[in-house]
Amino acid sequence: MSKPAILGGKPVRKTFLPPFMPSIGKEEIENALLDWCLITRVVVPKEKIAIIKDDPADNKVLECAIAAGAEFIITGDKHLLKLKKFRGIP
């Protein structure tokens, strides 16, 4: 997973703090990030993908999924959801 690409350069804590849950404390966020780091791995995409024209930054998600050999992509992004499936990855 490419953290800067996936997170769009936003500070990690801000990305993980949903606006509908302002009561989450700093310690809880730190613990969640530590857990996240234990179950993720960094991949470096070798292939450039340019499938999504409306939001080219979304292509980075596909690049990382291919590099990681992902079985599926979990997203709420409307451009990625439109694809339904990409190279066999739902």
Side-chain angles (χ1 to χ4, degrees), residues 7 10-26 28-30 32-33:
L7 300 176
K10 294 179 190 173
V12 175
R13 284 180 191 87
K14 187 174 182 180
T15 301
F16 277 85
L17 182 58
F20 55 89
M21 293 164 116
S23 62
I24 294 177
K26 182 179 177 184
E28 290 172 291
I29 294 170
E30 293 292 334
L33 288 173

Side-chain angles (χ1 to χ4, degrees), residues 2-89:
S2 170
K3 292 176 191 172
I6 296 297
L7 300 176
K10 294 179 190 173
V12 175
R13 284 180 191 87
K14 187 174 182 180
T15 301
F16 277 85
L17 182 58
F20 55 89
M21 293 164 116
S23 62
I24 294 177
K26 182 179 177 184
E27 187 175 333
E28 290 172 291
I29 294 170
E30 293 292 334
N31 289 336
L33 288 173
L34 287 173
D35 289 345
W36 179 71
C37 288
L38 293 173
I39 62 169
T40 60
R41 68 183 168 99
V42 175
V43 296
V44 178
K46 293 181 169 75
E47 179 182 357
K48 198 79 167 145
I49 296 173
I51 300 293
I52 301 173
K53 306 294 183 201
D54 292 339
D55 189 358
D58 289 345
N59 290 308
K60 293 176 184 178
V61 173
L62 301 175
E63 292 168 3
C64 287
I66 294 299
E71 294 179 34
F72 49 87
I73 298 171
I74 299 173
T75 184
D77 184 272
K78 65 181 179 181
H79 302 109
L80 292 169
L81 290 170
K82 274 189 206 175
L83 288 178
K84 305 268 188 224
K85 204 177 229 191
F86 179 72
R87 295 192 190 169
I89 304 172

